């Protein structure tokens, strides 16, 4: 019966007659390519091929209908056949033929050979089979029974069919491999394309005018489209020099900031401790953790199962971290099996590099602005020190000028220019003799001529400072008069720069309203009268009109604490807005 037959011939024997251990789940042992080739051989010849490991002789895949030939004696020739890589005859003892077909090796490097015995011609007499079995060292009676059930395959047919199957299978496998490689390349190209597109979009938004928070928000939104994460987030432990004064509330500079897209498993307040516990690797290199690490009992945030953490830094200066949290799963791979890998980490690192450079530039820009601001303040302090009776005059003139300029419709650039101009308008007084500058009584004509040199002196002091180019005309002409009787040039009406005409009015308002050693500051009523009388004579009438349109604001500026505004245009705009709403 077939079952008995199968049991008898399931596995080859060792020289001692013991059966060789076989592995029950052949498909899990053989590589898929080897398995496919054996299946092709079986379709052609029937289940007659044992698959052996040429190094040990161990049967990795037993055949249902194979003659139990002793393979141990033939291991050397088996190895040679595998090395030559084509089907060959191991033994030809007519009418029995032992055939070997090399198979693809296992992942661990096991050399595999499919072996089968064939009957190559019709069995004429039992003695032929018995003689051949004897020579092959297999049991003669078993061989005889086995041979009577076998299809006769001529020797040349066995070799040709085996060779054809081996070649066809190899070609099919090459095709499959190429297809897989093509799919990999396509996938890689798609990812690269998405990466380049994302980086291109990011670089288009790189400018000093672009706030860090805006660029980071764009980054997490775009990354959410290409990274299979439930949340993409950026965490800044402290905004430091990256804050945007006009978009963040007061005091935000030192605060942490979380910008997150999607279902973020951590609250803002948890991030500081979370990043700290991720360890010292975080500030230097990207960290990728999947369930292998986060399923550990020592993992401290069970709601975070997969994570990519990439530092946002410029050189050694660390600003924050870009994070992908929890895999969404892709296609058939559920999120409980999917893992973050190198591709996602590389994309995140590229984005983090651009963000780091932008943060570095913003910080540098703020530092330079701060330095510039300090220099301007040092200069205004020098003016105040020179004439302590007019202490705070420059700052008040700057604020009054801005209020008037805004009322007159000046744009942001002009507001910035006029603020600096107000601060620096009297810088030339540094070169005026102290005794003249501080003289409590009336000046002699010579002394007044000396004082009149301060606009030109101021221009010479500031000349060559690129950031102050637009300030120079205002400094030089802030003592011109609408009727042309001012100094140093005597420019008339609109010959005088508009911003200089504004500063002239602001300068006069502060001078008249401030106390002097030799007189008290004027009352509002008296000052208003002088302004009205001087409109069209001393001052541009349009600007005097503007004074009365914002009279209350000007009065508040004159009375407020002398705390200086910053020099950042957006910042002082915001500060002035605060002043406007102050009680
Ligand atoms: Fe002046
Ligand atoms: Fe002045």
């Amino acid at each position: 019966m077939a079952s008995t037959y199968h049991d008898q011939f399931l596995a080859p024997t060792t020289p001692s007659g013991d059966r060789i251990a076989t592995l029950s789940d052949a498909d899990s042992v053989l590589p898929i390519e080897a398995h496919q080739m054996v299946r092709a051989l079986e379709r052609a010849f029937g289940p007659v091929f044992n698959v052996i490991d040429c190094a040990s002789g161990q049967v990795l895949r037993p055949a249902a209908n194979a003659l139990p030939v002793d393979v141990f004696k033939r291991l050397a020739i088996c190895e040679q056949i595998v090395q030559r890589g084509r089907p060959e005859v191991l033994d030809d003892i007519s009418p029995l033929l032992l055939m070997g077909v090399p198979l693809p090796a296992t992942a661990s490097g096991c050399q595999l050979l499919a072996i089968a015995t064939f009957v190559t011609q019709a069995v004429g007499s039992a003695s032929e089979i018995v003689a051949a079995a004897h020579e092959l060292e297999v049991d003669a009676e078993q061989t005889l029974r086995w041979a009577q059930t076998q299809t006769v395959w001529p020797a040349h047919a066995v070799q040709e069919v085996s060779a054809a199957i081996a070649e066809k299978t190899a070609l099919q496998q090459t095709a499959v491999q190429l297809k897989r490689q093509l799919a990999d390349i396509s996938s890689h190209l798609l990812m690269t394309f998405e990466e380049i597109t994302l980086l291109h979009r990011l670089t288009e938004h790189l400018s000093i005018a672009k706030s860090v928070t805006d660029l980071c928000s764009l980054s997490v939104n775009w990354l959410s489209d290409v990274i299979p994460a439930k949340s993409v987030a950026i965490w800044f432990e402290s905004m430091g020099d990256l804050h945007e004064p006009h978009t963040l509330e007061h005091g935000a500079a030192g605060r942490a900031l979380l910008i997150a897209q999607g279902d973020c498993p951590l609250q803002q307040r948890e991030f500081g401790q979370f990043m700290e516990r991720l360890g010292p690797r975080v500030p230097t290199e990207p960290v990728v953790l999947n369930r292998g690490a986060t399923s550990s009992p020592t993992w401290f945030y069970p709601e975070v199962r997969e994570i990519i953490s990439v530092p946002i830094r410029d050189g050694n200066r660390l600003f924050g971290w870009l994070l992908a949290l929890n895999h969404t799963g892709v296609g058939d791979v559920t999120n409980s099996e999917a893992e973050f890998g190198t591709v996602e980490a590389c994309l995140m690192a590229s984005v983090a590099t651009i963000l780091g450079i932008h943060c570095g530039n913003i910080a540098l820009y703020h530092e330079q602005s701060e330095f510039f601001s300090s220099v301007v303040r040092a200069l205004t302090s020098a003016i105040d020190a020179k004439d302590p009776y007019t202490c705070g005059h420059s700052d008040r003139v700057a604020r009054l000028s801005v209020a008037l300029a805004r009322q007159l419709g000046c744009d942001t650039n002009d507001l910035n220019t006029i603020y600096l101009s107000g601060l620096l308008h009297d810088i030339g007084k540094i070169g005026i003799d102290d005794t003249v500058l501080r003289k409590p009584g009336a000046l002699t004509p010579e002394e007044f001529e000396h004082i009149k040199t301060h606009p030109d002196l101021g221009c010479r002091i500031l000349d060559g400072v690129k950031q102050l180019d637009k300030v120079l005309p205002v400094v030089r002409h802030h003592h011109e008069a609408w009727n042309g009787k001012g100094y140093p040039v005597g420019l008339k009406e609109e010959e005088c720069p508009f911003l200089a005409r504004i500063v002239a009015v602001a300068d006069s308002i502060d001078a008249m309203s401030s106390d002097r050693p030799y007189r008290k500051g004027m009352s509002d009523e008296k000052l208003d009268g002088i302004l009205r009388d001087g409109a069209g004579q001393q001052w541009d009438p349009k600007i005097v009109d503007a004074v009365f349109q914002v009279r209350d604001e000007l009065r508040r500026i004159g009375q407020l604490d002398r705390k200086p505004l910053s020099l950042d245009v957006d910042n002082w705009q915001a500060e002035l807005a605060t002043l406007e709403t102050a009680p």
Side-chain angles (χ1 to χ4, degrees):
M1 289 175 65
S3 60
T4 308
Y5 182 80
H6 175 90
D7 291 341
Q8 282 179 322
F9 295 98
L10 182 64
T13 55
T14 63
S16 62
D18 297 331
R19 284 196 172 178
I20 298 171
T22 57
L23 300 173
S24 57
D25 188 358
D27 290 350
S28 67
V29 175
L30 298 185
I32 182 72
E33 295 83 359
H35 179 70
Q36 287 170 347
M37 193 178 285
V38 174
R39 292 291 303 276
L41 290 167
E42 284 179 346
R43 280 196 294 275
F45 297 112
V48 292
F49 281 88
N50 284 315
V51 177
I52 66 159
D53 171 5
C54 292
S56 65
Q58 185 183 14
V59 174
L60 300 181
R61 187 179 191 281
N65 198 11
L67 191 68
V69 176
D70 182 358
V71 294
F72 284 91
K73 287 186 175 176
R74 296 176 174 83
L75 284 182
I77 181 85
C78 287
E79 278 189 283
Q80 288 170 14
I81 292 173
V82 166
Q83 282 165 11
R84 288 194 283 270
R86 58 178 183 272
E88 289 184 27
V89 173
L90 272 85
D91 245 326
D92 185 2
I93 305 163
S94 185
L96 299 180
L97 178 81
L98 194 56
M99 189 72 197
V101 181
L103 303 176
T106 66
S108 58
C110 284
Q111 302 288 353
L112 304 178
L113 191 70
I115 294 178
T117 311
F118 292 91
V119 178
T120 56
Q121 52 188 278
V123 179
S125 67
S127 61
E128 284 177 9
I129 291 293
V130 170
H134 183 69
E135 206 164 330
L136 275 177
E137 297 180 327
V138 286
D139 182 88
E141 275 187 40
Q142 288 181 349
T143 305
L144 187 57
R145 287 201 304 275
W146 171 82
Q148 286 164 348
T149 65
Q150 293 299 296
T151 303
V152 174
W153 283 92
H156 68 89
V158 171
Q159 293 177 58
E160 286 169 9
V161 172
S162 298
I165 288 171
E167 193 176 345
K168 185 186 170 194
T169 311
L171 284 173
Q172 284 174 335
Q173 287 168 358
T174 303
V176 169
Q177 215 168 18
L178 288 174
K179 206 170 169 184
R180 197 177 300 139
Q181 284 175 356
L182 190 63
D184 287 348
I185 290 169
S186 297
S187 165
H188 184 69
L189 275 178
L190 183 64
M191 196 66 189
T192 305
F193 174 76
E194 285 178 340
E195 182 175 348
I196 290 171
T197 305
L198 176 59
L199 297 181
H200 177 66
R201 287 161 80 188
L202 263 183
T203 50
E204 278 186 325
H205 285 77
L206 281 183
S207 81
I208 290 296
K210 194 76 176 180
S211 79
V212 168
T213 46
D214 285 350
L215 193 66
C216 287
S217 296
L218 287 174
S219 301
V220 296
N221 285 344
W222 292 338
L223 274 172
S224 296
D225 292 338
V226 290
I227 298 282
K230 290 196 170 176
S231 178
V232 177
I234 289 176
W235 162 255
F236 290 106
E237 195 164 86
S238 166
M239 286 303 284
D241 286 332
L242 305 176
H243 68 286
E244 301 300 320
H246 59 299
T247 54
L248 295 177
E249 57 189 296
H250 181 69
R255 291 190 190 169
L257 179 68
L258 172 67
I259 300 166
Q261 175 79 13
D263 182 17
C264 185
L266 298 173
Q267 300 293 314
Q268 169 156 336
R269 65 177 184 279
E270 297 174 288
F271 263 90
Q273 195 184 33
F274 177 78
M275 297 310 299
E276 204 173 298
R277 294 189 70 174
L278 264 184
R281 296 166 298 166
V282 174
T284 54
E285 297 299 333
V287 172
V288 180
L289 297 180
N290 287 300
R291 291 191 186 226
T294 61
S295 58
S296 155
T298 58
W299 179 244
F300 37 89
Y301 285 92
E303 63 273 34
V304 178
R305 295 176 299 276
E306 296 90 20
I307 180 171
I308 301 174
S309 164
V310 185
I312 297 172
R313 57 183 178 148
D314 186 25
N316 290 328
R317 190 169 182 178
L318 178 69
F319 296 102
W321 293 274
L322 175 61
L323 303 136
L325 298 152
N326 292 341
H327 207 292
T328 56
V330 178
D332 296 334
V333 184
T334 64
N335 63 334
S336 63
E337 296 168 341
E339 295 192 334
F340 288 134
T342 312
V343 174
E344 292 92 349
C346 285
L347 177 56
M348 301 260 297
S350 299
V351 172
T353 299
I354 289 180
L355 291 178
I357 291 169
H358 184 66
C359 288
N361 288 341
I362 291 282
L364 190 62
Y365 174 74
H366 286 178
E367 284 164 9
Q368 287 181 335
S369 296
E370 195 54 42
F371 176 71
F372 178 64
S373 170
S374 304
V375 170
V376 171
R377 300 227 164 282
L379 290 171
T380 54
S381 298
I383 307 166
D384 286 350
K386 185 87 176 172
D387 185 4
Y389 295 122
T390 60
C391 181
H393 170 68
S394 305
D395 196 60
R396 289 192 299 278
V397 169
R399 298 189 197 201
L400 292 168
S401 300
V402 168
L404 286 170
R406 277 205 303 166
Q407 180 62 28
L408 289 159
C410 288
D411 63 18
T412 298
N413 288 332
D414 279 347
L415 293 177
N416 200 20
T417 299
I418 205 166
Y419 186 71
L420 284 171
S421 303
L423 287 176
L424 296 168
H425 75 282
D426 275 341
I427 189 68
K429 285 186 177 174
I430 289 174
I432 301 298
D433 197 331
D434 282 356
T435 55
V436 175
L437 204 59
R438 298 179 183 181
K439 186 176 179 180
L443 298 177
T444 67
E446 294 76 23
E447 288 169 340
F448 189 54
E449 284 306 311
H450 180 46
I451 284 273
K452 282 163 68 177
T453 61
H454 81 268
D456 279 329
L457 269 176
C459 269
R460 288 208 290 276
I461 290 169
L462 302 178
D463 191 26
V465 182
K466 192 172 178 302
Q467 293 93 325
L468 297 176
D469 276 356
K470 291 180 180 171
V471 168
L472 294 187
V474 187
V475 171
R476 184 153 194 252
H477 298 295
H478 73 275
H479 281 293
E480 304 288 358
W482 182 253
N483 59 12
K485 293 182 179 174
Y487 64 90
V489 180
L491 296 179
K492 193 177 178 185
E493 299 181 357
E494 294 185 354
E495 292 171 352
C496 181
F498 183 52
L499 299 188
R501 281 180 269 149
I502 295 175
V503 171
V505 173
D507 189 25
S508 299
I509 290 174
D510 188 69
M512 290 188 284
S513 59
S514 298
D515 292 340
R516 287 288 186 274
Y518 49 89
R519 64 159 171 80
K520 287 287 290 177
M522 286 179 193
S523 65
D524 285 350
E525 293 73 23
K526 185 173 182 183
L527 194 153
D528 291 352
I530 291 176
L531 285 173
R532 284 197 179 92
D533 290 345
Q537 294 296 318
Q538 175 80 24
W539 303 290
D540 182 340
K542 291 191 301 295
I543 299 172
V544 174
D545 284 346
V547 168
F548 293 106
Q549 287 158 13
V550 290
R551 193 68 184 92
D552 289 344
E553 183 185 349
L554 300 187
R555 193 173 291 111
R556 271 204 308 275
I557 293 170
Q559 294 165 350
L560 278 170
D561 180 34
R562 300 296 192 243
K563 184 183 172 190
L565 300 175
S566 75
L567 290 184
D568 182 274
V569 61
D570 291 322
N571 199 14
W572 57 249
Q573 270 191 302
E575 289 180 42
L576 285 169
T578 308
L579 289 180
E580 278 183 345
T581 56

